[in-house]
Amino acid sequence: QVQLVESGGGSVQAGGSLRLSCVGSGYTYRPYCMAWFRQAPGKERERVGWIKTSDGTTSYADSVKDRFTISQDNAKNTLYLQMNSLKPEDTAMYYCAAGSFTCADPRFINYWGQGTQVTVSS
């Protein structure tokens, strides 16, 4: 059974940085893609960005482009999200996700982590 476990969330002041990690286990095959989503209270879950596991190609939401970076360590089955220049509007629960053929739409995600809270104060 695949499990994704996030860590690294916390509270930080605006302008600060955090790095989230997601360790995967139980894979029988490498997912096509891994992604980070986030959900703030009262809002829909939105995709932060994703990475194609085979070649490391990444894609980001406009709201985080040039501030957030997704990377992976395939040897450790670990996904990272480096978040710089954090803003109060980045406050949300952040979820790690894995997809067999797409990470563009949360409806087609195969596996989700339990989430880690990020809170950015002004």
Side-chain angles (χ1 to χ4, degrees):
Q1 182 176 354
V2 173
Q3 285 191 318
L4 302 175
V5 180
E6 302 98 332
S7 62
S11 296
V12 65
Q13 288 193 327
S17 298
L18 282 174
R19 188 175 83 154
L20 307 184
S21 299
C22 171
V23 179
S25 62
Y27 294 123
T28 56
Y29 61 90
R30 181 188 295 175
Y32 168 77
C33 56
M34 299 287 294
W36 290 97
F37 286 79
R38 66 185 181 184
Q39 188 166 20
K43 295 189 177 182
E44 291 187 355
R45 189 168 295 191
E46 66 167 338
R47 188 180 73 250
V48 173
W50 65 277
I51 186 167
K52 185 179 177 183
T53 60
S54 60
D55 63 10
T57 302
T58 55
S59 177
Y60 300 93
D62 288 343
S63 59
V64 306
K65 202 172 292 184
D66 299 326
R67 298 189 299 122
F68 290 11
T69 303
I70 294 175
S71 61
Q72 61 183 359
D73 185 334
N74 288 335
K76 296 181 179 179
N77 285 333
T78 302
L79 178 74
Y80 301 100
L81 178 65
Q82 178 66 46
M83 303 185 292
N84 298 328
S85 302
L86 282 160
K87 304 175 181 180
E89 51 263 43
D90 294 319
T91 295
M93 185 71 78
Y94 282 72
Y95 297 91
C96 172
S100 298
F101 65 96
T102 184
C103 286
D105 188 324
R107 295 175 298 173
F108 301 111
I109 291 294
N110 297 99
Y111 304 104
W112 292 97
Q114 83 289 350
T116 185
Q117 178 68 37
V118 171
T119 302
V120 184
S121 58
S122 57

